[in-house]
Amino acid sequence: MRDFSRSLPMSLLRAREAVMRQFRPSLREHGLTEQQWRILRALAAIEAIEVTELARTAFLLGPSLSRILRDLEARNLIERRTAKADQRRSMVSISKEGVKLMASVAPNSEAIYAEITRRFGARKLAELQEMLGELEQSLAGLGNVDDTLAEG
Amino acid sequence: MRDFSRSLPMSLLRAREAVMRQFRPSLREHGLTEQQWRILRALAAIEAIEVTELARTAFLLGPSLSRILRDLEARNLIERRTAKADQRRSMVSISKEGVKLMASVAPNSEAIYAEITRRFGARKLAELQEMLGELEQSLAGLGNVDDTLAEG
DNA sequence: CGCATTCACTTAACATGTTAAATATCTCCC
DNA sequence: GGGAGATATTTAACATGTTAAGTGAATGCG
């Protein structure tokens, strides 16, 4: 069997960890996890958004998002109101406090991102992201592997 | 601020998820998580290994590994014995049952990996992994960001 | 209308990620 | 050889990942 430390999943995992390790300490100083930060950033770019759509944008599963929104709301970093037309849906938006917190984290975060870009190279970074996107695309249809390959 | 859905961490996260989504159902049928599978594969390649070294190989943090080893041992998929020379260390190895389980999962896993390679292209896959390795390398030294960039 | 179905979201249960602290053992140096 | 500090591993505590089940509201169709 192929040396698993050279497998694609491991390469992706290690690369992502190398990147995230740069951001986590700074986020932590502001009492934010990586996922909470993703949510705030997604909210900052928009007026208000439904929970399901936010899950798609921030790339979080529903249950995780549900918990995190509960906590962020308790910290007054976000606001929620039920949609008028459909009582099932709730509209989420960032609060004034949330915006303030983002403003205090963003410069640091930007500086780190800039340093990563500088070290790796802007062109290579663009190439890498292009390839990652293509990888995602090429696996997009391959949803139900177990129907075709599993047990085979 | 940069559209976060196009950021490097998100690209890496989505790409990895696209890949892992292919493997999880098959692993799940055998009662294994992604991390447990990584450990078994790491163990299969070697006679015995210390916990700390295994953590490095399987890219898991100590506390996670500690819990998982406890569970795998309870399922008789691995074996542990204390090192003679140093009572602090414990040597971990895969059990006969573990080997058997691996044998039952590996073909499926290999088939999925082959299909991913086919779809994305073997050459591009090699290029991608090369770039991921370079990214990791370029951030290797950048350990203590908060000493140089944070609060700046 | 009425009710089965679908939908949006949450809760539950268990596994892992992450940091800090605890525990046990070993090493070194006086 | 004895105690301070280092090391290997585990435990604790809290946050998220993952799948299944629950809850309440909307929808469709007889």
Side-chain angles (χ1 to χ4, degrees):
Chain A
M1 192 152 194
R2 178 182 61 264
D3 177 5
F4 92 106
S5 73
R6 285 176 177 69
S7 69
L8 179 58
M10 284 302 289
S11 295
L12 290 166
L13 181 58
R14 277 197 300 253
R16 187 173 138 83
E17 178 53 27
V19 172
M20 287 316 301
R21 174 165 41 239
Q22 313 304 321
F23 291 99
R24 263 191 287 267
S26 162
L27 290 177
R28 189 156 214 288
E29 283 178 11
H30 294 276
L32 288 175
T33 66
E34 172 195 340
Q35 292 83 355
Q36 293 167 347
W37 178 237
R38 287 216 300 273
I39 291 172
L40 291 184
R41 287 189 63 178
L43 291 178
I46 204 173
E47 179 67 32
I49 188 174
E50 292 175 16
V51 172
T52 300
E53 176 69 3
L54 179 56
R56 225 179 42 77
T57 307
F59 210 70
L60 292 169
L61 294 178
S64 293
L65 183 54
S66 221
R67 283 178 306 214
I68 300 175
L69 289 180
R70 163 169 49 68
D71 298 348
L72 291 179
E73 190 173 22
R75 288 165 68 182
N76 294 314
L77 296 175
I78 66 164
E79 288 162 1
R80 275 204 269 202
R81 56 185 175 71
T82 303
K84 297 159 199 160
D86 188 337
Q87 301 287 84
R88 292 172 305 181
R89 299 166 199 266
S90 96
M91 303 299 293
V92 185
S93 55
I94 193 168
S95 71
K96 231 170 245 184
E97 267 198 69
V99 171
K100 214 165 19 169
L101 177 56
M102 280 205 67
S104 78
V105 180
N108 207 337
S109 183
E110 289 287 358
I112 294 170
Y113 200 90
E115 175 67 8
I116 292 173
T117 304
R118 192 186 69 72
R119 290 206 169 213
F120 186 57
R123 187 164 312 165
K124 276 171 69 172
L125 181 53
E127 272 181 54
L128 174 57
Q129 293 194 260
E130 172 69 17
M131 292 192 84
L132 292 171
E134 288 175 21
L135 173 60
E136 208 186 328
Q137 279 307 309
S138 44
L139 303 186
L142 222 166
N144 308 329
V145 178
D146 37 359
D147 292 345
T148 62
L149 288 170
E151 317 305 343
Chain B
M1 192 153 195
R2 177 183 62 263
D3 177 4
F4 91 106
S5 72
R6 284 176 177 69
S7 70
L8 179 58
M10 283 302 289
S11 295
L12 290 166
L13 181 59
R14 277 197 300 252
R16 187 173 139 84
E17 178 54 27
V19 172
M20 286 317 300
R21 174 165 38 239
Q22 313 306 321
F23 291 99
R24 262 191 286 270
S26 161
L27 291 177
R28 189 155 215 287
E29 284 179 11
H30 294 275
L32 288 175
T33 66
E34 172 195 339
Q35 293 82 356
Q36 294 167 347
W37 178 238
R38 285 216 301 274
I39 291 173
L40 291 185
R41 286 188 64 179
L43 291 179
I46 203 173
E47 179 67 31
I49 188 174
E50 291 176 18
V51 172
T52 301
E53 177 68 5
L54 180 56
R56 225 179 42 76
T57 306
F59 210 70
L60 292 168
L61 294 178
S64 293
L65 182 55
S66 220
R67 282 178 305 215
I68 300 175
L69 289 180
R70 164 170 47 68
D71 298 347
L72 291 179
E73 190 173 22
R75 289 165 66 181
N76 294 313
L77 296 175
I78 66 164
E79 288 162 1
R80 275 204 270 202
R81 54 184 177 71
T82 304
K84 298 158 198 160
D86 188 338
Q87 300 287 86
R88 292 172 305 181
R89 300 166 198 265
S90 95
M91 303 300 291
V92 185
S93 54
I94 193 168
S95 72
K96 232 169 243 184
E97 267 197 69
V99 171
K100 213 164 21 169
L101 177 56
M102 281 205 66
S104 78
V105 180
N108 208 336
S109 184
E110 289 287 356
I112 294 170
Y113 200 90
E115 175 66 10
I116 292 173
T117 303
R118 192 186 69 72
R119 290 206 170 213
F120 186 57
R123 188 164 311 166
K124 276 172 71 173
L125 181 53
E127 273 181 54
L128 174 57
Q129 292 194 261
E130 172 70 17
M131 292 192 84
L132 291 171
E134 288 175 21
L135 173 60
E136 206 186 328
Q137 279 306 308
S138 46
L139 303 186
L142 222 166
N144 308 329
V145 179
D146 37 0
D147 292 345
T148 62
L149 287 170
E151 318 305 344

